[in-house]
Amino acid sequence: GSLWWSLGAGLCAGAATASSLLTAPVPPILMGWLARWAPLGQRVPRLGLFLCGVLAVWGPLVALAAAAPRQAFFSVVTYHLVHRSPGFQRWDAQVLASWLDSPQGLLLVLLAGLGLLSLARANGWQATRQAEFRLCGWLVAGLGLLAALARPTFPQYFLLLLPFAAILASLGMEAIESRLSLATGPPWATLLVMALLALGLV
């Protein structure tokens, strides 16, 4: 599409990281994806516009870093790496294991994994279409790893994964339906998943 979509993606990715450092993996993952899949003659302009978008949103932080570099670096980087509540290993292990206590979360993870598996076996798709879904997988991996390494971590940190995991889960649902349902029959697997999610909400 238009080159301006790259600028828009940079603005959104920059706004996300400026709002929460838990989204820090997003800009480098998107840059890597652009470097790999942008048309050959447009890679440099697209990457440049993407970076301009990211940096435009970070303007206030850059101004603060110019005025007080030591304090800004401590607040944004050093504090989170060194001084954030050490000794929470047991708490973090409980949070990471809490996925097993959540039927909705576990179902989402299983369906997303099945979606990635079906993606690896898909032969009739265009390479760029497959790459778009794989991008969701990379975003889930990057965001999930950072959320798991946060000290301490909390269940709400993993909410950032949900949009991208849900896209992959839709592939998993499609793979199940294509095997279980007749062409003219009702989507039994989808109805079952909807019922489980509704019961979980109750």
Side-chain angles (χ1 to χ4, degrees), residues 93-114:
Q94 290 176 348
V95 170
L96 294 176
S98 65
W99 280 94
L100 301 175
D101 297 329
S102 170
Q104 296 97 331
L106 192 57
L107 187 62
L108 181 70
V109 169
L110 292 174
L111 287 174
L114 184 60

Side-chain angles (χ1 to χ4, degrees), residues 136-172:
C136 289
W138 283 110
L139 289 169
V140 167
L143 292 168
L145 182 62
L146 185 60
L149 293 177
R151 294 292 180 265
T153 189
F154 297 95
Q156 59 267 28
Y157 287 3
F158 294 89
L159 291 174
L160 297 170
L161 285 66
L162 293 184
F164 311 108
I167 292 171
L168 294 173
S170 69
L171 282 181

